[in-house]
Amino acid sequence: VQLQASGGGLVQAGGSLRLSCVASGRTLSRYNMGWFRQVPGKEREFVAAITWDSGRYYVDSVKGRFTISRDNAKNTVYLQMNSLKPEDTADYSCAATTGRMYSDYSEYDYWGQETQVTVSS
């Protein structure tokens, strides 16, 4: 599976962005999908995951602000990010797994390249 993430950019605090993760090479419909983020010098952080049957999981810091969704017909997973805060600034990556430890980045088999999100105060 090849994953292509996009949608990052510069936004003011309180603004919104939607990240997309498009897959090629294999259908995503049977994969659990995750979004992670990383700030240079810090560990990669779990942000959100959506299971193959659309169960959703979020890190506490983004609950109520971020929404993960998937469109299997388009082989795409989205991360809608609202009410962005400066602390959301990071490089965001999408990943795919058949495992169930959704918040553990080592569980994921396939990764897309990062897309940078910068939130100004």
Side-chain angles (χ1 to χ4, degrees):
V1 178
Q2 291 80 46
L3 303 174
Q4 180 81 24
S6 63
L10 173 64
V11 64
Q12 289 188 333
S16 298
L17 285 172
R18 188 176 79 158
L19 305 184
S20 299
C21 177
V22 180
S24 60
R26 194 172 294 181
T27 179
L28 281 184
S29 62
R30 300 300 296 180
Y31 285 91
N32 304 314
M33 300 297 297
W35 285 96
F36 290 79
R37 64 188 179 187
Q38 189 168 24
V39 175
K42 294 189 177 182
E43 288 191 0
R44 188 175 296 174
E45 178 188 33
F46 168 76
V47 177
I50 185 166
T51 64
W52 65 273
D53 56 352
S54 296
R56 292 171 172 83
Y57 302 87
Y58 300 95
V59 68
D60 286 346
S61 61
V62 309
K63 286 180 180 177
R65 300 189 297 121
F66 290 12
T67 302
I68 190 170
S69 61
R70 65 192 302 157
D71 185 339
N72 289 335
K74 295 183 178 180
N75 234 21
T76 301
V77 175
Y78 303 98
L79 185 67
Q80 178 67 44
M81 306 187 295
N82 298 329
S83 303
L84 282 161
K85 303 176 181 180
E87 51 264 44
D88 294 319
T89 295
D91 294 325
Y92 286 70
S93 302
C94 61
T97 181
T98 55
R100 297 186 178 184
M101 299 296 289
Y102 312 119
S103 65
D104 183 351
Y105 68 84
S106 67
E107 188 81 353
Y108 289 77
D109 303 305
Y110 305 99
W111 289 85
Q113 89 293 348
E114 297 167 336
T115 186
Q116 189 173 53
V117 172
T118 303
V119 185
S120 63
S121 57

